Amino acid sequence: MTNEFSLLMLWGTVVGVDMASVGQVMISRPLVAGTVAGMILGDPISGGTVGMVLELFALDVLPVGSARYPDYGLGAVAAATAAAGAPGVFGLGVAIAVGLVVAYAGEIGVVMIRRANSRDVRRHRDDLDAGRLRTVRGIHYRGLLRDVVRSSVVTLFGLGLAVAAYRWTPGTRLGALLMTLVLIGTSLGAATSGIFRMVGKTNIVRWFGLGIILGILFVVIVQ
Amino acid sequence: MKPLTATWFRSLLVQASFNYDRMIAVGAAWAIQPLLRSLPKDRYHEAMRRSTQFFNAHPYLVGMAMSAVARTEQDGLSGDMVRRLRHALISPLGSVGDKLIWAGLIPFSVGVGLTVGALLSPIAGMIVFLVLYNAAHFALRTWALREGWRQGRAVARALTAKGIQRGMRIAGPLGGLVVGFAIPVVGGWLAREFTLHQKLGIGMVGVLALAFAQWILPSFRGIRFGLVVAAVAFVVGWAV
């Protein structure tokens, strides 16, 4: 239990900083973050499943400039924890809801550290304008440290919420089932609208539409 | 470690000090520093001074701007020229990066990952996604840094190169096609254990979520819509 907790904390922190600060090798995508968290807990299928649902939500995000967006990677770590060992589809909805709450907390955290970075920059404006390497390095390392702290704190919050949700789920089976249905539906709608927003009115919409038609045909014929 | 290699590694952390005042300027100044180290002291300080001013670019292509700027500093061009080059690169690098990565590579690799995840297993989907994405990601980062260093102030040529232009033409449609295919496949897989009525319910909520995001109330989309409907579902389930 302690090992799993430590590994999840470590994984959550790495996932959190990957989103923007370090590497962006996309281990912060929910598909990856959720599956690995599930593997840590011995239930990669549940972790992967919630990761895939949150991945659909994440397609609604266009991370350009100073846009603010939910941290679905940290959401997936918490969701995978809530889903691990939960009773089938009943646990899925509650786990996704936990993931969304944590993703939103992660978003607030990102805004907070960016504001703190801005204050840091303003406080050292003169040294920065003079091009002092020590100042540049200091601001940069403090920014990185802030993101490490944010990722750890949000992970801890997520794990706490996941444990609380896991204990409370069995008493409300109908609510959990309804949550599963509406959140799967919402994720599909979010992914579709995200792609629409991303491609605007370009000819890519036609390719997207063709993909959807082919996908539906595949589901009907093959599955 | 060679200066160009050091800048490549540092470019991986370029957004760590992102802020609303100068965007990624501090991170970019920290990353470009190894390439400026060999300048005479007075020119080094001048170059560092310029590097800390407002700057933003797509994180994967930022290496191109940094190495091109460092090359022009090394070539001894005037401060004004360097400043103008730096500013001139902000929009094109952002635009190319958005088209190639956010509208192309991400939907494509996520679409493939999700499809493989639904048809084989989430672990297989995750591995395929990471390999596909990062092969292109690291190739782009490396090419951008090298090309900026090679071209210097003529770096705009690299952005109009045939490969990049072709990539931008193909990336969007391919990403759209693949992710479009993935959405119903994943939807079908997620709903496999539900009854027909429940599947219809999922479809209706999906259409409602899309309608809210596109036409009814665009600010009430994705996570916000999800949290509200989840709360409603919970209350209804608890009350019934």
Side-chain angles (χ1 to χ4, degrees):
Chain A
M1 193 69 180
T2 313
N3 276 352
E4 285 174 351
F5 174 76
S6 308
L7 282 173
L8 284 171
M9 280 300 295
L10 181 67
W11 176 238
T13 306
V14 173
V15 162
V17 295
D18 176 73
M19 185 172 73
S21 294
V22 183
Q24 287 196 308
V25 295
M26 296 296 153
I27 54 172
S28 55
R29 293 301 295 198
L31 172 63
V32 181
T35 306
V36 173
M39 286 164 80
I40 291 171
L41 292 160
D43 191 354
I45 301 300
S46 295
T49 305
V50 291
M52 285 167 76
V53 176
L54 290 172
E55 189 62 65
L56 292 170
F57 273 100
L59 282 170
D60 190 38
V61 169
L62 191 57
V64 293
S66 56
R68 51 183 289 176
Y69 41 87
D71 191 337
Y72 285 112
L74 292 182
V77 173
T81 308
V89 293
F90 297 104
L92 190 60
V94 177
I96 298 163
V98 165
L100 292 181
V101 172
V102 175
Y104 196 65
E107 174 182 340
I108 294 168
V110 168
V111 175
M112 283 168 70
I113 63 164
R114 286 178 173 182
R115 284 192 185 143
N117 290 344
S118 297
R119 282 195 297 275
D120 208 357
V121 163
R122 269 176 245 142
R123 205 176 304 132
H124 296 92
R125 181 179 294 154
D126 293 342
D127 285 341
L128 210 50
D129 286 340
R132 290 211 175 89
L133 179 61
R134 219 169 67 171
T135 309
V136 169
R137 207 183 279 152
I139 293 173
H140 197 60
Y141 290 175
R142 282 194 294 277
L144 181 58
L145 184 64
R146 281 185 195 105
D147 203 18
V148 170
V149 172
R150 175 196 72 92
S151 304
S152 309
V153 169
V154 176
T155 304
L156 187 62
F157 165 69
L159 297 184
L161 196 63
V163 171
Y166 184 77
R167 286 188 181 163
W168 144 96
T169 304
T172 55
R173 287 176 73 88
L174 180 60
L177 175 63
L178 282 176
M179 280 166 95
T180 304
L181 296 177
V182 297
L183 286 175
I184 289 176
T186 305
S187 70
L188 296 168
T192 309
S193 77
I195 300 296
F196 273 141
R197 276 190 315 118
M198 205 179 291
V199 300
K201 287 174 182 166
T202 60
N203 71 332
I204 300 170
V205 170
R206 276 181 238 152
W207 289 96
F208 180 55
L210 177 65
I212 288 185
I213 293 167
L214 291 174
I216 291 171
L217 285 174
F218 180 83
V219 172
V220 171
I221 296 166
V222 180
Q223 290 190 333
Chain B
M1 193 184 288
K2 285 181 182 171
L4 207 58
T5 313
T7 294
W8 187 91
F9 277 110
R10 287 187 183 198
S11 76
L12 295 171
L13 282 79
V14 78
Q15 292 194 115
S17 52
F18 187 99
N19 60 84
Y20 297 119
D21 288 36
R22 303 188 189 204
M23 300 282 185
I24 61 167
V26 178
W30 177 73
I32 199 177
Q33 191 262 344
L35 292 173
L36 302 176
R37 222 181 279 154
S38 58
L39 287 170
K41 213 173 176 184
D42 55 331
R43 282 180 48 209
Y44 168 79
H45 286 301
E46 275 296 320
M48 280 302 287
R49 220 168 277 165
R50 280 188 283 275
S51 300
T52 57
Q53 300 307 308
F54 176 91
F55 185 69
N56 201 22
H58 191 281
Y60 297 177
L61 292 171
V62 70
M64 179 177 278
M66 289 189 304
S67 56
V69 165
R71 173 38 72 85
T72 53
E73 296 278 12
Q74 294 281 359
D75 290 347
L77 264 70
S78 72
D80 198 40
M81 289 273 282
V82 176
R83 211 171 290 125
R84 267 190 280 163
L85 174 70
R86 211 166 162 269
H87 273 274
L89 286 173
I90 292 177
S91 294
L93 287 183
S95 167
V96 170
D98 292 347
K99 278 183 186 158
L100 271 179
I101 308 297
W102 304 139
L105 183 59
I106 287 272
F108 172 74
S109 46
V110 164
V112 174
L114 285 175
T115 306
V116 172
L119 298 179
L120 294 176
S121 80
I123 297 175
M126 172 188 80
I127 292 168
V128 168
F129 163 72
L130 283 176
V131 170
L132 266 181
Y133 184 83
N134 284 308
H137 163 206
F138 285 115
L140 186 65
R141 266 188 196 274
T142 309
W143 170 83
L145 188 75
R146 280 196 187 147
E147 207 57 21
W149 187 246
R150 201 166 67 87
Q151 305 268 7
R153 65 174 163 165
V155 70
R157 236 181 272 160
L159 292 176
T160 55
K162 268 186 192 165
I164 286 288
Q165 293 300 318
R166 195 178 302 147
M168 285 205 295
R169 266 202 309 276
I170 295 171
L174 197 59
L177 181 73
V178 171
V179 82
F181 181 81
I183 290 172
V185 171
V186 173
W189 179 73
L190 288 168
R192 67 196 182 281
E193 288 180 31
F194 296 119
T195 64
L196 184 63
H197 285 101
Q198 290 167 341
K199 284 178 184 169
L200 283 172
I202 290 175
M204 279 166 63
V205 175
V207 171
L208 195 64
L210 178 62
F212 261 94
Q214 289 298 116
W215 304 288
I216 302 170
L217 195 57
S219 59
F220 184 59
R221 64 168 201 276
I223 191 167
R224 286 169 184 83
F225 187 89
L227 284 170
V228 170
V229 293
V232 171
F234 173 72
V235 171
V236 169
W238 176 73
V240 173

